[in-house]
Amino acid sequence: MQEKVILCANAAIKAEVMRLQELLKDAPKLKTAAAAGLIERCAHLRVLLDALEKDLSENGMTELFSQSDKNPPYPRERCEARQFANLSKIYQSGMKQLLALLPANDPPEDDGFEAFINDI
């Protein structure tokens, strides 16, 4: 069973790598080649985040915890919730770096300021 889960994760990672490469098709080839490791990391993080998100949806962000049988249990943040928050920040940072590889599509919008300054 564990092997089947790993195979599914590997397929999901490969699919995400292909999705990211398609997204970055307009980026300079040299830059995307240099960022191959970052693409792999972001793909892996996306698959992990999806799995953690599913777990958190099913089991919640908190769990009841007690240090001993004498103390009543209290809600505390689950490890998975903390992992999700940390991995999400790392993923967002990596995606920001990948999207920075794309060329700027639109020139800045002319608001008339340059013409106003030049007329003075």
Side-chain angles (χ1 to χ4, degrees):
M1 181 66 178
Q2 183 69 10
E3 185 176 324
K4 191 173 188 177
V5 171
I6 292 171
L7 290 176
C8 290
N10 286 339
I13 291 170
K14 286 180 183 177
E16 181 63 14
V17 166
M18 290 175 57
R19 186 186 78 82
L20 290 174
Q21 288 173 337
E22 176 64 25
L23 216 140
L24 297 169
K25 69 181 178 195
D26 294 334
K29 299 298 178 205
L30 187 59
K31 287 184 177 182
T32 54
L38 184 58
I39 292 170
E40 289 279 336
R41 287 299 105 221
C42 285
H44 188 246
L45 284 169
R46 171 83 186 261
V47 172
L48 283 175
L49 285 168
D50 288 346
L52 284 170
E53 186 175 23
K54 182 179 178 196
D55 178 68
L56 291 171
S57 294
E58 292 172 0
N59 301 314
M61 299 283 279
T62 60
E63 62 187 353
L64 290 177
F65 176 77
S66 178
Q67 299 252 347
S68 70
D69 293 337
K70 297 176 186 176
N71 296 331
Y74 59 91
R76 73 170 185 181
E77 182 181 39
R78 294 179 59 219
C79 295
E80 290 83 354
R82 200 170 309 120
Q83 286 176 337
F84 182 83
N86 289 336
L87 291 176
S88 181
K89 288 177 189 175
I90 295 167
Y91 174 74
Q92 290 173 19
S93 173
M95 287 303 295
K96 186 176 181 181
Q97 290 175 339
L98 286 178
L99 292 176
L101 298 175
L102 291 172
N105 289 349
D106 301 324
E109 194 173 303
D110 184 18
D111 60 359
F113 183 73
E114 286 292 323
F116 175 75
I117 294 296
N118 292 333
D119 286 343
I120 293 179

